[in-house]
Structure formats: C-alpha cells, structure tokens
C-alpha cells in the first residue's frame, strides 16, 4: 500500500474527524459555520488537486469522496437551520430561541461521528481498494 494511492482519503478522514472534534471543543454558532466552511474549502481544494492527479479510480469513487464534503457542509449548516425552525415556532409562542441557544453545546456533543467516519472509511476505502485491485488485475491480464 503506497501513500500515493491513499493520500486524499486519509487526509479527508483526518479533516472529517478533526472538524467534529473542533465542534465538540468550541460549540458555538460561529464555530459550526467557520469550522464547516474551512473544512469544506480545504477538502474541496484537495479534491480538485486529487482529481487532476487522477487519484480517483472512477466517478463513483469521486462521488463517494464528494459525499463526505457535502456531509460536513450540511452538518455545519444544520444548527442554523434548526435554530431558524425553532425561531419560527417561537414567533407562534411555542418555543424559545434562548433555550435553543443553550443547547448549542449539546448539538454535536456525542461520539456518533466516529461511527460515521468508520462507515465512510469502510465504504469509500473498500470501493477505492477494490477498484484499484481490479484495475491492476486487468492490466496484468492484458500483458499476458
């Protein structure tokens, strides 16, 4: 296993876990947005770099890696979407925005993201590995 075959997947996994850890350590509205924007930006730039270097074995591989970037983007915006939804109910007298702000510390205050990272690693890494091995076998068969 050479690092050239796995550099983007490993970096993406580290950024994914790092983003959730950042959100756990600095749970705030601005933290969710800034952490998400920075992570999505870095991963998007790395994705373009990896695509130019022909890292991805096929479009499915590219789309699976892109899915991780979309997940981080949606997670970073979810707090604001939920806050807006609560504010809409607050206007009807059913909820308190202040009470929702107090729960910001609990928004990502669990360890479920480790399971998501594991499943992403298994699915994306498994697909990436399987397609690379199949491609290598086809190349060997053509030379024989």
């Amino acid at each position: 296993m050479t690092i050239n075959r796995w550099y983007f997947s490993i970096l993406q996994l580290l950024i994914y876990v790092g983003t959730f850890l950042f959100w756990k350590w600095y749970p705030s509205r601005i933290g969710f947005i800034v952490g998400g924007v920075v992570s999505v930006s870095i991963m998007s730039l790395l994705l373009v770099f990896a695509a130019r270097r022909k890292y991805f074995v096929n479009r499915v591989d590219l789309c699976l890696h892109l899915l991780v970037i979309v997940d981080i983007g949606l997670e970073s915006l979810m707090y604001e979407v939920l806050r807006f939804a609560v504010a809409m109910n607050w206007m009807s007298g059913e909820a308190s925005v202040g009470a929702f702000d107090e729960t910001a510390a609990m928004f990502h205050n669990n360890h479920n993201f480790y399971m998501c990272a594991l499943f992403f690693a298994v699915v994306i890494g498994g697909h990436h590995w399987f397609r690379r091995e199949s491609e290598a076998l086809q190349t060997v068969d053509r030379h024989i």
Side-chain angles (χ1 to χ4, degrees), residues 36-93:
V37 168
V38 168
S39 296
V40 166
S41 299
I42 291 171
M43 285 194 284
S44 296
L45 289 172
L46 290 171
L47 181 96
V48 169
F49 176 76
R52 287 185 179 162
R53 294 188 52 129
K54 302 201 183 327
Y55 174 82
F56 304 105
V57 292
N58 57 20
R59 286 186 183 170
V60 173
D61 192 27
L62 173 68
C63 288
L64 288 172
H65 283 86
L66 184 61
L67 183 64
V68 175
I69 298 170
V70 170
D71 179 60
I72 289 291
L74 291 174
E75 288 276 353
S76 68
L77 296 176
M78 190 55 64
Y79 176 80
E80 289 300 317
V81 169
L82 291 175
R83 189 172 190 281
F84 179 73
V86 168
M88 295 306 288
N89 284 339
W90 175 72
M91 293 180 125
S92 66

Side-chain angles (χ1 to χ4, degrees), residues 12-25:
Q12 191 174 44
L13 182 63
L14 292 174
I15 292 169
Y16 183 86
V17 171
T19 302
F20 278 93
L21 290 174
F22 173 79
W23 286 337
K24 284 177 71 68
W25 290 327

